[in-house]
Each structure stands twice: as C-alpha cells, then as structure tokens.
Amino acid sequence: MKLFVGIGGAVATAFLLVSVCGIAQADSVLDNWRFDTGSGGLVTASLHATNKLITGGGALSYSPVLTIACRANGEPRWSEWLQLNDAVSASRTITVSVTVDKASKVNESWSVGPRGRTLVRDGADGIRRLVSADRLLLSWRFGLLSGRGEADFDLAGFSEAVGQIAGTCNTELP
C-alpha cells in the first residue's frame, strides 16, 4: 500500500510539473507580442521583425513592427499594418511583396498612412492567411531611387494573439 501511495504521489507530481511547463510554454509563445487597447475600441497586438533596417546614414538601425488590429465598433473590423521609422515616398498606396512560409511571393496594394511611416492593409483575409503561418516576409520600395525595405517576422504565437484580441474586441475570429 505504501508503494502505491508513493507511486501515486510521483504521478501527481509529474502531472503537476507537465501542467506548469505547458502553461509556461503557452505564455512564452506570446512573450514577443505587445497588446494594447486604445480609444474607440481599437485592440492591437504588435510584433517586432527579426531583422533590422539601417537608417541615419548607417548609424542607426531599427526593427519594423507588424501590428494586427481589431475594431470593436467599426469597419473595417480587422487590419494589419507595418510601422516604419523611415518614410516611403508613395502618397496613397504602395506595392508590398508578401511571402508567407516561403510560398510564392504575392504583390499587394497597401495604403500609406500618415507621414509615410505606416503601411496598412485592411480586411480579415490578411489576418486569416497568417493564423497557421510560421513566417511572414514583407518587402517594399522606399522610393524610386531609395532601394527596398524588407521585414521578416517569426509568427510564433500569432493564432493565440489573434484569439486574445478577438476576445477583447468581442468579435469572431477572422
């Protein structure tokens, strides 16, 4: 009987350890994401690119930021945007080359936000295509003679981030 209780205690301890490790792993998946709830019901989750872009004559570098957003009381309900430190020269729209999980590159038209430092794509379909993805590569031209920018994102935790902001936004998943 004493042996049975000892084994039962060991099994319970192992179960507890596995449970705690599972919770820690789930939390670590979202560690790279930053969540925010803004005015007007805007709920966002943001992720820094794994690469750096060089600016300021090569003296400074930064990582572009991908943000997914849900509007609780507005349209479009879902959006994604890329935040840059350097402005693009386009005024209304820009062609962004999108590669998801090393699949074929697709060219899309994204809106250019204020001061040319934000590239925006509205619609749930953009979010939906990334839910099961592991990587996202975005590429664009800064200007006619300025060269290309590229942002590479490790999408670990993307589906969890979308689930969290959909719950906060009180809306269906895309």
Side-chain angles (χ1 to χ4, degrees):
M1 185 66 150
K2 198 174 198 180
L3 179 62
F4 181 71
V5 171
I7 292 174
V11 169
T13 302
F15 180 73
L16 179 64
L17 183 60
V18 168
S19 174
V20 168
C21 288
I23 292 169
Q25 184 178 11
D27 285 343
S28 68
V29 168
L30 293 176
D31 281 349
N32 292 329
W33 290 89
R34 301 295 171 251
F35 297 91
D36 189 30
T37 303
S39 61
L42 183 68
V43 182
T44 63
S46 299
L47 176 70
H48 282 88
T50 59
N51 65 308
K52 302 266 187 204
L53 295 178
I54 298 172
T55 187
L60 303 172
S61 64
Y62 70 96
S63 292
V65 177
L66 175 70
T67 299
I68 55 174
C70 175
R71 288 169 191 78
N73 301 316
E75 288 297 328
R77 177 78 61 186
W78 290 95
S79 297
E80 61 186 305
W81 63 78
L82 181 66
Q83 184 67 47
L84 306 170
N85 286 3
D86 297 320
V88 297
S89 63
S91 59
R92 294 182 188 251
T93 61
I94 190 168
T95 300
V96 177
S97 297
V98 179
T99 307
V100 178
D101 286 341
K102 297 182 182 180
S104 299
K105 178 172 53 172
V106 176
N107 288 330
E108 298 178 345
S109 182
W110 288 40
S111 301
V112 177
R115 296 185 310 232
R117 294 175 189 231
T118 307
L119 309 180
V120 181
R121 184 179 191 283
D122 291 327
D125 60 324
I127 307 296
R128 189 178 307 114
R129 70 177 171 198
L130 300 177
V131 169
S132 62
D134 293 321
R135 296 201 80 70
L136 171 66
L137 180 66
L138 301 174
S139 178
W140 65 95
R141 290 193 64 82
F142 277 104
L144 185 59
L145 303 173
S146 303
R148 294 192 70 80
E150 188 173 272
D152 187 11
F153 296 94
D154 176 356
L155 297 177
F158 188 88
S159 61
E160 291 87 350
V162 170
Q164 183 172 325
I165 66 172
T168 304
C169 201
N170 199 21
T171 191
E172 295 179 15
L173 293 170

